[in-house]
C-alpha cells in the first residue's frame, strides 16, 4: 500500500493539533491530579480530538479516502470543528475547576497550567484547520464545508452543553414551561444531528423531498422554537412572580465551578446563542433555496 505524503498547511496544522492534544492529556494525567466527572470530560475532549486527528492523518497518508465509509468531503472538517469546540470547552472548564482557588502543591498547579495552555494551542490549531478547509466562494465542496454546515456543528455542540447544565442537577422539572424548553432543545438537536449524519453518509439524495428546501423549512422551525425557549426559560427561572430568583445567591461565591443559579443563567445565555446561530443558518439556507431555484 503506497504512502502518500504531501506537505501542505493543512497537514502541518493537523500534526500541530495532534501534538498539542497529546501533550494536554498526557500532562493532565501524569501530574494534574484530576478528579470527579469534570476532569474526565476534559480528558475526553483531548483524547477524542487526538484519536480523530490521528485517524484522519492515517487515512490520507495511506490514500484510503475512497474506501472510507463516510464522505471525505464532509467528515474531516466536521470532526475538526467539533474538536475545536471540545478543546475550547476544556480550555474554559479545566481552569474553572482545577485552577480557580487551587490550594494544592505548586507542582500540580504547574501541570494544570501546562494542560490549559496546550488546550488553547490545540483549539487554535483546529480553528486554523477549519479555516483552511472551509469552502471558498465559487468552490465546489461538501455541505459541511460551507457556512450552514459549520453552523449545524455549532448548534449541536451548544445543545450538548445545554444538556450538561440542564440535567446535572435536573433543572427543567419544576414547571411545564421548562419541560417545553427541554423538548425544544431535544427536537432541534436531533434534527441538526440527523442532517450532519445524512451529509457525512452522503444520504441526502435518498430523501423524498429536496434537501435544500428541507434545510430552510427546518431552520425556520428551529428559529421559532428557540425564540420561544429563549423567552420562556428566563421568565420561569429568574422572575420572582414565577418562583424564580433574579439575584445570584451569595452561596455561589464559594461554590467550586458553577452553582445551580449559574447553570440556569448559562442555559439562558446558550439558548440565545443557539437562537442567533439558527437565525444565521436560516438566512444561509434561504439563499441556498433561491440559488438552487
Amino acid at each position: 500500500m503506497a504512502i502518500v505524503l504531501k506537505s501542505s498547511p493543512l497537514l502541518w496544522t493537523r500534526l500541530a493539533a495532534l501534538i498539542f492534544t497529546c501533550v494536554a492529556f498526557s500532562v493532565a494525567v501524569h501530574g494534574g491530579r484530576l478528579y470527579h466527572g469534570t476532569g474526565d470530560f476534559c480528558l475526553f475532549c483531548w483524547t477524542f480530538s487526538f484519536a480523530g486527528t490521528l485517524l484522519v492523518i492515517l487515512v490520507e497518508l495511506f490514500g484510503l479516502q475512497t474506501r472510507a465509509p463516510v464522505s471525505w468531503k464532509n467528515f474531516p472538517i466536521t470532526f475538526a470543528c467539533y474538536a475545536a469546540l471540545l478543546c475550547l470547552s476544556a480550555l474554559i472548564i479545566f481552569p474553572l475547576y482545577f485552577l480557580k482557588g487551587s490550594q494544592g502543591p505548586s507542582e500540580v498547579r504547574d501541570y494544570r497550567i501546562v494542560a490549559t495552555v496546550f488546550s488553547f494551542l490545540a483549539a487554535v490549531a483546529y480553528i486554523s484547520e477549519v479555516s483552511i478547509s472551509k469552502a471558498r466562494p465559487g468552490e465546489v465542496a461538501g455541505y459541511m464545508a460551507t457556512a450552514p454546515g459549520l453552523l449545524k456543528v455549532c448548534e449541536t455542540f451548544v445543545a450538548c452543553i445545554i444538556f450538561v447544565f440542564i440535567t446535572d442537577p435536573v433543572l427543567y422539572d419544576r414547571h411545564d414551561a421548562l419541560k417545553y424548553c427541554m423538548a425544544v432543545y431535544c427536537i432541534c438537536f436531533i434534527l441538526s444531528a440527523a442532517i450532519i449524519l445524512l451529509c457525512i453518509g452522503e444520504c441526502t439524495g435518498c430523501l423524498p423531498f429536496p434537501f435544500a428546501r428541507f434545510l430552510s423549512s427546518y431552520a425556520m422551525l428551529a428559529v421559532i422554537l428557540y425564540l420561544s425557549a429563549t423567552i420562556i426559560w428566563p421568565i420561569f427561572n429568574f422572575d420572582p412572580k414565577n418562583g424564580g430568583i433574579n439575584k445570584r445567591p451569595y452561596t455561589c461565591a464559594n461554590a467550586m465551578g458553577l452553582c445551580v443559579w449559574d447553570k440556569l443563567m448559562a442555559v439562558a445565555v446558550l439558548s440565545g446563542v443557539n437562537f442567533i446561530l439558527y437565525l444565521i443558518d436560516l438566512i444561509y439556507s434561504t439563499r441556498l433555496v433561491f440559488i438552487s431555484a
Side-chain angles (χ1 to χ4, degrees):
M1 184 179 295
I3 296 179
V4 181
L5 182 59
K6 294 181 179 179
S7 178
S8 66
L10 187 59
L11 174 61
W12 290 113
T13 302
R14 286 172 176 164
L15 288 174
L18 190 73
I19 294 171
F20 294 151
T21 50
C22 181
V23 172
F25 75 73
S26 299
V27 168
V29 169
H30 177 69
R33 293 189 187 178
L34 307 187
Y35 49 85
H36 62 70
T38 308
D40 294 337
F41 172 75
C42 293
L43 287 177
F44 166 77
C45 292
W46 297 322
T47 54
F48 176 81
S49 302
F50 171 83
T53 303
L54 181 62
L55 175 64
V56 170
I57 291 175
L58 290 177
V59 168
E60 298 202 346
L61 187 65
F62 291 101
L64 300 174
Q65 296 93 321
T66 57
R67 300 185 183 182
V70 295
S71 168
W72 209 250
K73 293 185 299 182
N74 291 306
F75 177 77
I77 190 169
T78 303
F79 172 79
C81 193
Y82 274 120
L85 294 170
L86 285 171
C87 290
L88 282 173
S89 299
L91 175 63
I92 296 170
I93 295 173
F94 191 76
L96 190 64
Y97 280 87
F98 297 102
L99 286 178
K100 178 185 175 184
S102 177
Q103 302 295 330
S106 59
E107 182 181 356
V108 174
R109 183 178 178 83
D110 291 342
Y111 277 111
R112 293 174 177 178
I113 291 174
V114 171
T116 303
V117 170
F118 275 91
S119 183
F120 167 76
L121 294 175
V124 171
Y126 282 118
I127 292 172
S128 300
E129 180 181 346
V130 172
S131 178
I132 294 172
S133 304
K134 71 178 182 179
R136 302 295 189 271
E139 182 181 354
V140 178
Y143 175 77
M144 296 308 300
T146 64
L150 296 175
L151 284 170
K152 293 290 187 304
V153 173
C154 295
E155 291 157 4
T156 55
F157 188 82
V158 171
C160 288
I161 300 299
I162 289 176
F163 293 147
V164 171
F165 287 142
I166 208 172
T167 56
D168 183 26
V170 175
L171 304 178
Y172 59 87
D173 60 348
R174 187 169 53 83
H175 197 282
D176 288 342
L178 300 179
K179 294 179 181 178
Y180 164 79
C181 293
M182 182 62 173
V184 168
Y185 304 143
C186 291
I187 291 171
C188 294
F189 170 78
I190 291 171
L191 290 176
S192 293
I195 291 172
I196 293 174
L197 292 175
L198 285 172
C199 292
I200 292 178
E202 290 193 327
C203 300
T204 56
C206 301
L207 297 175
F209 40 77
F211 184 59
R213 293 190 180 277
F214 168 70
L215 291 175
S216 60
S217 301
Y218 163 60
M220 175 65 76
L221 173 65
V223 166
I224 295 172
L225 290 176
Y226 257 97
L227 176 60
S228 63
T230 303
I231 296 171
I232 292 172
W233 184 265
I235 289 176
F236 286 90
N237 280 300
F238 304 117
D239 187 355
K241 295 180 180 178
N242 294 291
I245 302 175
N246 57 8
K247 292 184 178 179
R248 189 172 187 256
Y250 70 92
T251 54
C252 290
N254 299 322
M256 184 182 66
L258 300 178
C259 65
V260 172
W261 194 91
D262 290 337
K263 292 181 178 181
L264 292 172
M265 180 60 70
V267 172
V269 172
L270 291 173
S271 297
V273 169
N274 244 4
F275 165 70
I276 294 173
L277 291 176
Y278 277 110
L279 185 61
I280 299 173
D281 194 355
L282 174 62
I283 296 171
Y284 275 109
S285 299
T286 304
R287 288 178 58 191
L288 184 62
V289 170
F290 282 116
I291 292 173
S292 300

